[in-house]
């Protein structure tokens, strides 16, 4: 699992099995970049019966593993729950930023923009998460995935955003 030295690390901490499921979604969406979730993202599924200190120790190890010197973005599923509380304990200004409320659009945006500075990545991730929350119904236009050009992987990545 070699990661690029110029990328900001990403750790997802969530109630089991959400972190793993989000990682599988990243692999699905970025199929043109195989292994991106395994290389660039660390996933921590918090089990119901796991002790807080044990979860915190696992989370710290993942942050160390993914930190290449450009900082780490930690995404948690729920503020105030165990994953969010663990994530909060990891926060270090300028080195480890924490955002609660992870959703798939937020994670996709974070993966897409992981080459930028940590502060910019935080802003992009939050924006992606907010823009991914949309009320839809029968009068909402369906997104037409068929309009994408086959074989243009860079365009496909941007279209997913």
């Amino acid at each position: 699992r070699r990661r690029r030295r110029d990328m900001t690390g990403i750790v997802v901490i969530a109630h089991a099995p959400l972190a793993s499921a989000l990682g599988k979604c990243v692999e699905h969406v970025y199929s043109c970049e195989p292994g991106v979730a395994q290389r660039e993202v660390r996933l921590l599924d918090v089990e119901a019966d796991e002790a807080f200190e044990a979860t915190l120790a696992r989370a710290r190890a993942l942050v160390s593993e993914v930190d290449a010197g450009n900082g780490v973005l930690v995404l948690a599923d729920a503020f105030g729950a165990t994953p969010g509380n663990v994530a909060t304990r990891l926060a270090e200004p300028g080195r480890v930023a924490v955002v609660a409320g992870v959703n798939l659009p937020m994670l996709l945006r974070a993966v897409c923009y992981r080459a930028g500075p940590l502060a910019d990545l935080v802003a992009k991730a939050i924006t992606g998460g907010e823009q991914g929350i949309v009320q839809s119904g029968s009068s909402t236009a369906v997104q037409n995935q068929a309009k994408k050009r086959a074989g243009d992987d860079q365009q496909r990545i941007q279209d997913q955003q």
Side-chain angles (χ1 to χ4, degrees):
R1 296 202 300 192
R2 265 179 61 154
R3 50 181 320 278
R4 290 180 47 188
R5 305 265 333 143
D6 60 341
M7 299 288 184
T8 299
I10 301 170
V11 176
V12 178
I13 305 173
H15 292 87
L18 182 58
S20 293
L22 288 170
K24 287 180 182 179
C25 290
V26 169
E27 290 298 332
H28 173 83
V29 171
Y30 291 109
S31 60
C32 59
E33 194 178 340
V36 68
Q38 294 170 337
R39 269 192 329 275
E40 307 294 341
V41 181
R42 297 300 178 265
L43 308 165
L44 178 55
D45 286 314
V46 178
E47 300 294 336
D49 59 350
E50 187 173 12
F52 181 86
E53 292 301 323
T55 304
L56 181 58
R58 289 196 309 142
R60 283 187 173 137
L62 292 176
V63 167
S64 294
E65 184 179 316
V66 78
D67 187 2
N70 297 328
V72 177
L73 173 60
V74 177
L75 302 173
D77 63 352
F79 180 78
T82 300
N85 291 335
V86 167
T88 298
R89 295 272 300 269
L90 300 172
E92 292 181 37
R95 181 177 168 262
V96 180
V98 175
V99 176
V102 68
N103 59 22
L104 183 57
M106 177 185 290
L107 180 56
L108 293 175
R109 185 72 58 96
V111 169
C112 186
Y113 290 100
R114 65 192 185 278
L118 180 59
D120 292 351
L121 183 58
V122 169
K124 295 271 189 189
I126 290 171
T127 299
E130 290 172 344
Q131 290 177 349
I133 300 170
V134 178
Q135 182 177 3
S136 61
S138 61
S139 64
T140 306
V142 175
Q143 298 295 307
N144 188 350
Q145 300 284 322
K147 289 184 180 177
K148 295 178 189 161
R149 295 173 296 200
D152 188 349
D153 288 341
Q154 286 303 320
Q155 185 61 43
R156 181 170 177 242
I157 288 172
Q158 293 303 317
D159 288 344
Q160 295 295 336
Q161 301 303 308

